[in-house]
Amino acid sequence: MSETGKPISRIDGRMKVSGKATYSAEFNQPNMAYAFPVRATIAKGKIILIDDANAKKEPGVLAVISHKNALRLKPLDIQAQMKAGAAFLGENLPPLQDNLVHYHGQFIAVIVAETYEQARSAAYKLKVRYTTEKGAVDLKTEVPKSKRPKMFMGEEAQINEGKAAAPLADSYQKIEHTYTTPAEHHHPMEPHATIAVWDGDDKITLYDATQGVGLTGTIAAYFLGLQTENVRIIAPFVGGGFGSKGLWLHTIMVAMAAKATGRPVKLALTRQMMQTNVGHRAATIQHVALGTDADGKLSVVRHHTDTYNNLTQFFEPSGKQSLVLYKAPNREVTYNIAQLNRSTPTFMRAPGETPGTFALESAMDEMAYKLKVDPVEFRITNHTTKDPMNGHDFSSEFLLECYRLGAERFGWASRNMEPRQKRNGRYLVGYGMATATYPGGRSAASVKVLMNAKGDVTVLTASIDIGTGTYTVLAQTAADALGVPVERIEVKIGDSSLPAAPLAGGSQTTASIHPAAMEACVLLRQQLAALAIADPDSRLSGQRPEGLGYADGRLYVKGDDKKSDTYVNILSRAKQSEMEACATTLPVSGAGLTVPGSLCTPRETPSEQNTDIKQYAFHSFGAQFAEVWVDEELGTIRVKRFTSVQDVGRIMNEKTARSQIIGGVIFGIGAALMETTEYDKRWGNPVTRTLADYHVPVHLDVPPIDVHFIGKPDPHISPIGARGIGEIGITGVSAAIANAVFNATGKRLRDLPLTPDKFFNT
């Protein structure tokens, strides 16, 4: 593979920096109207009156839509939704269908007007009266009323409940501590936005900021009662998502507004609405206990999480990594889930592992210190090459190399075991580390590859680029698989009318779509070879297909590359203006699992065929190292440098991969030091409402970040050998920073974010 792995700059980069990349809110339509939602001002209760008389009198107002007059949507029905592929919702709350209020900020009406300003102004004239009920808004208060769910995402939620107590009591050494993480919000640079355009009564196009055009399309089709093929979702560029885009039903509300007015309608959420209406990471209270034998080997791991949900079965699965990392004969992972009248929690970059690695990896550091063992060596001692839960070997695992390379690159050997041993002027200096991990996921995907008479290639799939470099890496894959320059390849994605691809989430895009792209290119080469072999005027006439190689836009005879024929000439003699091939590949590699097909539609794989998934566990791993400087007088913490070493399979593009890990580390610095959403305990509303008071890292907060990859292909996840990297970069970061703070100061901070008040109160 000559192009794969190269640090090629983004092929869409010039469009983005020049303003030519079109995002969902920029597909302005003729005669377009504007929508502005009205949000509930209570946490729980019922709407008893909506007085829209004054709002309707405002200039430019076209419609005031609420539960009184809104289009009736298909009701929630989990079985029907699953059958339709529309069960994966951000919250189970079709918009404007009844008068119930479930959280402060819930959309309860929408104003449609000629201009955005007119719609927003009229929204403040809508009068709403409620009967208010006492809402549950504080996690600690509601924990005693919480429930223990039996299942999470189709798997058992309570693992070995109650079985850790005895081995913990018998352990040679043990620790048990509580770690907390706050509610956090995604805040991608591009806010959510939708433009809805109806074509008659039964066809609609939605320009939507989504991480999955296919999923958004099936959800819209289900609730609007349309045929899936009559719903088109377009999202060629998405300005970040981090798990927040594509599952929320405000998109349906825009379609309802467009239907009511008979005009295209645009809705762009405000930054304040991003705090209430498109999900967040729920706060967690995590209780972690570890026990070891006299040799420092873990005898037991117990990880319990208290958290919450609302209007969904999803909750923050903070014990996920505690089921994967380290060799321990006993482990218990359990959850208590309260129901709060807060906006609905959802997936946020590395859901579960982000807060979970903070707790587990902080506890590992605490145990290492208690044993007077180096934290890296303690992890090496307890390393496992098998999935602890099912005994399967990992499909590809080089975590020990991550530890060793990271320690070498970082200069870990100069770390002092005892805290408060290193200073730089007024600052205490500390080193900390942690393990990173995230599952290696892969879904079915379809890709079409088209070559025209000039030899130019177009790659088409309904995947999404949420800023990760999908356009570029797809072009590199096709370039290698066809032997043509990247410059001759155009990539078209972000359109539900293209061959189906999975949601851009769960770090699965690369592992899913690139095998399909490569297979489609193989099929295209086979078609070209068949034409050449059957053509008496070709220098390849009569050759065997398996005896042909490819490079530089041509096919040639292996061992005699002077006998060759260019793609352009093959097509020209066959009088074909273009040729295409389409392939669908299924979730995990193995015999019979790659199924080329002209339909380009994903198909389920019979479980008995899925041989590799039965033999291997698919996970990525890494090691995070942080140096912090702490000002004891002010309680401020600065991350001065950071090293991240990742084992994520083959690296498809070194530059875009490095960028993703850097972004993940910065995300983790924010979680460690500043990010938190505070709620008013009286009313349930978020008081951190914008990026002015929801703090995220800026340039001066970000240190030099040294990123390295092991780069060894995973031979079992796919023929490409690449796993996803969008989320693993954040995991372990906050723990590495907190562990470095302890090494610097001797203070163990167990509550994120690590703000000065917590430093002084410890």
Side-chain angles (χ1 to χ4, degrees):
M1 291 187 176
S2 59
E3 296 296 337
T4 298
K6 286 184 179 179
I8 295 173
S9 296
R10 297 169 187 263
I11 62 176
D12 54 319
R14 184 173 295 276
M15 293 182 68
K16 288 182 174 179
V17 299
S18 64
K20 293 180 180 179
T22 307
Y23 292 81
S24 59
E26 299 172 324
F27 285 91
N28 291 328
Q29 304 292 311
N31 198 33
M32 187 173 69
Y34 295 80
F36 192 87
V38 178
R39 296 180 293 162
T41 56
I42 64 171
K44 185 179 182 181
K46 295 180 180 179
I47 302 167
I48 59 173
L49 174 69
I50 292 184
D51 183 351
D52 57 9
N54 290 336
K56 287 181 175 179
K57 294 177 183 177
E58 287 293 294
V61 170
L62 301 171
V64 179
I65 304 171
S66 68
H67 71 277
K68 298 191 303 180
N69 61 348
L71 177 72
R72 294 297 97 184
L73 302 173
K74 189 175 290 189
L76 293 168
D77 181 335
I78 187 62
Q79 296 301 322
Q81 289 170 242
M82 289 179 67
K83 185 176 180 181
F88 199 51
L89 303 179
E91 61 183 13
N92 296 316
L93 186 66
L96 312 182
Q97 298 298 290
D98 59 39
N99 67 337
L100 300 180
V101 176
H102 301 273
Y103 59 87
H104 194 290
Q106 176 185 321
F107 290 147
I108 59 172
V110 62
I111 311 294
V112 188
E114 295 286 354
T115 70
Y116 171 83
E117 291 77 11
Q118 289 172 335
R120 184 167 186 161
S121 176
Y124 292 102
K125 298 298 179 70
L126 195 69
K127 296 181 180 179
V128 183
R129 288 173 53 192
Y130 309 91
T131 56
T132 304
E133 302 174 36
K134 181 175 176 56
V137 297
D138 180 63
L139 175 57
K140 290 184 179 179
T141 302
E142 299 301 320
V143 164
K145 308 173 192 176
S146 60
K147 298 180 180 179
R148 296 207 168 198
K150 292 183 179 180
M151 304 295 291
F152 176 80
M153 303 291 287
E155 298 183 355
E156 289 188 22
Q158 313 296 340
I159 306 298
N160 297 328
E161 185 173 6
K163 293 184 178 180
L168 187 63
D170 293 339
S171 296
Y172 175 78
Q173 289 282 15
K174 52 181 170 287
I175 63 162
E176 187 164 8
H177 295 293
T178 299
Y179 306 85
T180 69
T181 62
E184 300 167 347
H185 276 74
H186 308 72
H187 283 303
M189 184 177 293
E190 176 207 25
H192 293 59
T194 305
I195 297 174
V197 185
W198 284 91
D199 179 7
D201 290 330
D202 61 352
K203 291 185 179 181
I204 190 171
T205 299
L206 295 167
Y207 301 90
D208 188 54
T210 176
Q211 291 177 230
V213 289
L215 178 61
T216 298
T218 56
I219 290 172
Y222 176 83
F223 285 103
L224 294 170
L226 302 175
Q227 296 296 315
T228 304
E229 59 269 22
N230 288 344
V231 179
R232 186 180 180 189
I233 312 297
I234 296 176
F237 295 97
V238 179
F242 315 122
S244 71
K245 287 180 176 173
L247 310 176
W248 303 95
L249 297 185
H250 63 266
T251 299
I252 309 300
M253 190 168 65
V254 187
M256 296 160 66
K259 173 75 80 171
T261 57
R263 293 171 58 173
V265 172
K266 176 197 287 190
L267 168 67
L269 299 191
T270 65
R271 187 59 65 179
Q272 290 86 350
M273 292 173 189
M274 302 284 283
Q275 287 282 118
T276 57
N277 300 99
V278 288
H280 67 283
R281 194 195 304 279
T284 70
I285 303 170
Q286 300 177 62
H287 310 277
V288 178
L290 303 177
T292 70
D293 62 18
D295 295 324
K297 295 181 178 179
L298 287 169
S299 55
V300 60
V301 175
R302 183 170 68 193
H303 194 152
H304 174 77
T305 301
D306 295 321
T307 186
Y308 62 91
N309 63 11
N310 185 24
L311 297 168
T312 181
Q313 297 302 308
F314 174 82
F315 56 85
E316 192 69 23
S318 302
K320 285 170 62 181
Q321 71 294 314
S322 298
L323 296 172
V324 176
L325 292 176
Y326 311 121
K327 184 184 296 182
N330 303 286
R331 67 188 69 220
E332 176 183 331
V333 174
T334 55
Y335 299 91
N336 278 342
I337 309 301
Q339 185 171 343
L340 298 190
N341 294 107
R342 288 185 182 178
S343 58
T344 307
T346 194
F347 306 89
M348 182 170 170
R349 199 171 194 173
E353 285 89 353
T354 295
T357 52
F358 168 65
L360 177 65
E361 292 301 295
S362 293
M364 288 290 288
D365 196 76
E366 297 203 50
M367 179 59 86
Y369 183 73
K370 188 170 187 176
L371 295 169
K372 300 302 178 185
V373 175
D374 179 86
V376 174
E377 290 305 316
F378 181 54
R379 287 167 173 81
I380 292 173
T381 297
N382 289 284
H383 175 66
T384 178
T385 60
K386 296 179 180 291
D387 186 321
M389 298 309 297
N390 58 28
H392 291 175
D393 289 332
F394 292 117
S395 59
S396 175
E397 181 272 314
F398 298 96
L399 179 54
L400 294 182
E401 291 190 31
C402 293
Y403 290 146
R404 294 187 177 112
L405 179 59
E408 178 185 335
R409 297 288 307 182
F410 184 79
W412 183 256
S414 65
R415 174 186 183 270
N416 292 290
M417 172 72 73
E418 289 301 319
R420 305 182 66 85
Q421 299 302 304
K422 191 169 185 177
R423 283 186 174 271
N424 191 312
R426 64 184 292 171
Y427 298 101
L428 288 165
V429 179
Y431 292 173
M433 63 80 57
T435 304
T437 186
Y438 195 77
R442 181 182 171 195
S443 294
S446 299
V447 174
K448 180 186 291 185
V449 177
L450 183 149
M451 179 180 288
N452 66 20
K454 296 180 180 179
D456 296 324
V457 176
T458 304
V459 181
L460 306 100
T461 181
S463 187
I464 290 290
D465 191 332
I466 53 175
T468 51
T470 302
Y471 279 102
T472 307
V473 183
L474 261 181
Q476 289 176 265
T477 296
D480 277 334
L482 290 173
V484 299
V486 168
E487 295 76 19
R488 302 294 299 272
I489 296 173
E490 180 183 12
V491 176
K492 292 185 178 181
I493 59 177
D495 187 331
S496 62
S497 67
L498 299 176
L503 177 79
S507 296
Q508 63 173 329
T509 296
T510 296
S512 300
I513 65 174
H514 289 269
M518 186 174 73
E519 191 66 33
C521 291
V522 170
L523 291 175
L524 186 64
R525 289 202 326 261
Q526 290 174 350
Q527 293 180 46
L528 289 163
L531 287 176
I533 291 170
D535 183 357
D537 293 330
S538 173
R539 300 191 70 185
L540 304 179
S541 178
Q543 295 290 330
R544 294 177 296 107
E546 61 271 21
L548 300 182
Y550 65 97
D552 304 322
R554 63 192 177 96
L555 298 173
Y556 62 87
V557 176
K558 295 177 182 177
D560 186 4
D561 62 2
K562 292 182 179 179
K563 290 184 178 180
S564 67
D565 203 350
T566 67
Y567 298 151
V568 171
N569 287 340
I570 294 171
L571 290 171
S572 176
R573 289 195 305 272
K575 296 181 171 52
Q576 292 199 21
S577 60
E578 64 181 28
M579 178 175 285
E580 68 178 46
C582 198
T584 297
T585 51
L586 296 163
V588 180
S589 63
L593 293 182
T594 298
V595 185
S598 60
L599 295 178
C600 266
T601 55
R603 315 167 196 178
E604 292 187 8
T605 308
S607 58
E608 65 272 10
Q609 291 184 16
N610 218 346
T611 55
D612 280 4
I613 200 69
K614 287 185 175 182
Q615 297 178 30
Y616 299 100
F618 296 85
H619 288 270
S620 289
F621 298 96
Q624 314 280 32
F625 293 82
E627 177 183 321
V628 302
W629 291 16
V630 182
D631 187 324
E632 278 197 298
E633 294 182 13
L634 299 177
T636 56
I637 300 166
R638 290 280 186 182
V639 182
K640 297 301 290 186
R641 61 189 180 94
F642 202 96
T643 296
S644 181
V645 181
Q646 300 293 338
D647 165 28
V648 291
R650 184 188 299 278
I651 300 303
M652 304 298 289
N653 180 312
E654 197 273 341
K655 181 180 287 188
T656 58
R658 182 181 302 274
S659 178
Q660 287 196 66
I661 298 301
I662 289 173
V665 171
I666 294 170
F667 217 118
I669 291 171
L673 300 182
M674 59 195 71
E675 289 190 48
T676 179
T677 299
E678 300 291 349
Y679 289 85
D680 190 312
K681 293 182 180 180
R682 299 166 299 173
W683 319 117
N685 59 297
V687 294
T688 41
R689 299 174 59 245
T690 72
L691 290 179
D693 43 27
Y694 183 91
H695 296 162
V696 296
V698 296
H699 286 299
L700 289 177
D701 298 311
V702 179
I705 300 172
D706 187 26
V707 177
H708 296 271
F709 297 105
I710 301 301
K712 296 181 180 179
D714 183 334
H716 301 289
I717 196 166
S718 79
I720 298 289
R723 298 191 296 269
I725 58 178
E727 291 167 281
I728 192 172
I730 187 178
T731 67
V733 173
S734 56
I737 293 170
N739 295 339
V741 171
F742 174 77
N743 182 247
T745 67
K747 288 190 174 185
R748 180 65 67 177
L749 305 185
R750 302 187 181 99
D751 305 295
L752 294 184
L754 310 179
T755 46
D757 58 311
K758 292 167 186 170
F759 181 83
F760 289 121
N761 290 331
T762 298

